[in-house]
Amino acid sequence: MATRLRAAGAGRSCTVIGGSGFLGQHMVEQLLAKGYSVNVFDIHKRFESDQVTFFLGDLCDKEALLPALRGVAVVFHCASPAPASDNRELFYRVNFTGTKAVIEACREAGVQKLVLTSSASVVFEGTDIKNGSEDLPYAQKPIDYYTETKILQEKEVLSANDPDNNFFTTAIRPHGIFGPRDPQLVPILVQAARSGKMKFIIGDGKNLVDFTYVENVVHGHILAAEKLHKGSALCGKAFHITNDEPIPFWTFMSRILTGLDYDPPKYHIPYWLAYYLALLLSLLLALLRPLVTIKATFTPMRVALAGTFHYYSCERAKRAMGYSPVVSLDEAIARTVQSYPGLRRARA
Ligand SMILES: NC(=O)c1ccc[n+]([C@@H]2O[C@H](COP(=O)([O-])OP(=O)(O)OC[C@H]3O[C@@H](n4cnc5c(N)ncnc54)[C@H](O)[C@@H]3O)[C@@H](O)[C@H]2O)c1
Ligand SMILES: CC(C)=CCC[C@@H](C)[C@H]1CC[C@H]2C3=C(CC[C@]12C)[C@@]1(C)CC[C@H](O)[C@@](C)(C(=O)O)[C@@H]1CC3
């Protein structure tokens, strides 16, 4: 590994924590393409590559992390339990306690730059946000446990910024990442359509939201790593990275569905009715949990995301790191639909 690190040049050696995931794999691919030497640290190994050194382990274990961080200049931390896991203990252990272990391991291993994948939803409380800036306060009432721990995680990383000791941190806040190999947007949408649950538009269908193509998210992370240094505007700050093309939530859903030959939703259900039905269902399922575990498609979080405005300004990223999306929304939707032949509706 030391040879590879030297070959890439110290500044272009990195470790992707969570590199086996949806965003992580795209991150690894683009880093390799840019000539970085790449380590992956993940609790699962989901792909083979002779260009990558894999370190398997739990990021909550600092000793397991250290070998993967030694000699690298940049750490991208994009690991998290899946939001749908809804496991409070796991979220706190990995996203909060685990992130503190990542910071300690970075400091001990002499890593200079830590780029965290946060989430734009750290400021979302289930009510409209239109062109929200990074100056919005953290949600006082986060809409789920996952988001609660993403807030704690981001605070830990940004407060760890320590330029006097050559340790620089920044957080990237994507929103609604989609693209090839996404495990939690298109597959769940198609599953809902196949089970006849995609007939209704929640609300009036005019709520603009951000969906961000995965390659634009990766581009934002790599730009951040390259612009993060002593005295830069990135130190200890968070940045929205989006496609900069807010789109009505249900227009996006319909374009993915019709692209895969499913009928788009066409009836409307009032937002308040959908939200309270989802809340009632979630309470019922919580009561039944000791007996049976049932995963709801329409959770209060998802209904809130489906029925409110939530799009964010990435002006700060444009100014501080020269960010602009590299793939347009139209092109991104086309590529995404094209990448899921197995999810296309079978023609009778
Ligand atoms: N998908 C989105 O829409 C979205 C939007 C905004 C932010 N994010 C953030 O982006 C990051 C990546 O999300 P994703 O969609 O690629 O998720 P993913 O579930 O596909 O990938 C997460 C990876 O983290 C790994 N991981 C989980 N717990 C671990 C542990 N204890 N130790 C080591 N590795 C562990 C998993 O094995 C997985 O490979 C996450 O931090 C998520 O919060 C995602
Ligand atoms: C209404 C239905 C069932 C639509 C089907 C598509 C559904 C599954 C789909 C539509 C919107 C989408 C979504 C996420 C998961 C899948 C889901 C909900 C999450 C929560 C992942 C974690 C990110 O951190 C966070 C918070 C972000 O980007 O801020 C996003 C916000 C947007």
Side-chain angles (χ1 to χ4, degrees), residues 71-88:
V72 303
V74 187
V75 167
F76 296 95
H77 177 12
C78 59
S80 166
S85 68
D86 201 21
N87 180 330
R88 184 176 192 141

Side-chain angles (χ1 to χ4, degrees), residues 137-313:
Y138 289 116
Q140 291 299 310
K141 296 184 189 126
I143 50 178
D144 63 3
Y145 298 144
Y146 158 84
T147 310
E148 193 171 326
T149 58
K150 291 299 282 186
I151 294 170
L152 294 173
Q153 177 184 61
E154 183 182 292
K155 286 179 176 175
E156 281 303 311
V157 168
L158 297 184
S159 59
N161 185 62
D162 182 6
D164 294 340
N165 291 293
N166 265 333
F167 184 56
F168 312 107
T169 68
T170 189
I172 298 298
R173 292 180 180 177
H175 191 40
I177 309 177
F178 73 100
R181 292 170 276 161
D182 144 47
Q184 64 188 330
L185 195 158
V186 174
I188 294 174
L189 173 62
V190 166
Q191 187 188 352
R194 285 177 172 170
S195 47
K197 296 176 183 174
M198 273 292 144
K199 297 188 187 324
F200 289 96
I201 291 169
I202 295 171
D204 62 12
K206 295 176 181 157
N207 53 308
L208 291 174
V209 306
D210 277 322
F211 286 102
T212 314
Y213 189 57
V214 63
E215 289 189 25
N216 292 328
V217 178
V218 172
H219 176 55
H221 278 73
I222 296 175
L223 268 182
E226 292 173 350
K227 302 287 184 181
L228 181 62
H229 50 71
K230 192 160 195 161
S232 86
L234 281 73
C235 291
K237 296 277 190 238
F239 296 85
H240 293 142
I241 292 292
T242 74
N243 250 79
D244 208 16
E245 295 177 81
I247 180 173
F249 181 94
W250 291 98
T251 303
F252 179 85
M253 293 296 139
S254 299
R255 286 181 62 180
I256 298 286
L257 287 172
T258 52
L260 291 169
D261 294 334
Y262 294 94
D263 299 329
K266 53 187 173 190
Y267 308 108
H268 287 262
I269 178 172
Y271 172 68
W272 62 269
L273 177 59
Y275 186 82
Y276 286 107
L277 283 175
L279 202 57
L280 202 60
L281 178 61
S282 68
L283 294 173
L284 187 63
L285 294 181
L287 287 172
L288 290 174
R289 195 162 293 161
L291 306 171
V292 65
T293 300
I294 301 171
K295 286 258 183 214
T297 301
F298 290 89
T299 61
M301 156 84 153
R302 288 177 179 174
V303 170
L305 290 163
T308 61
F309 288 75
H310 41 95
Y311 62 96
Y312 301 87
S313 161

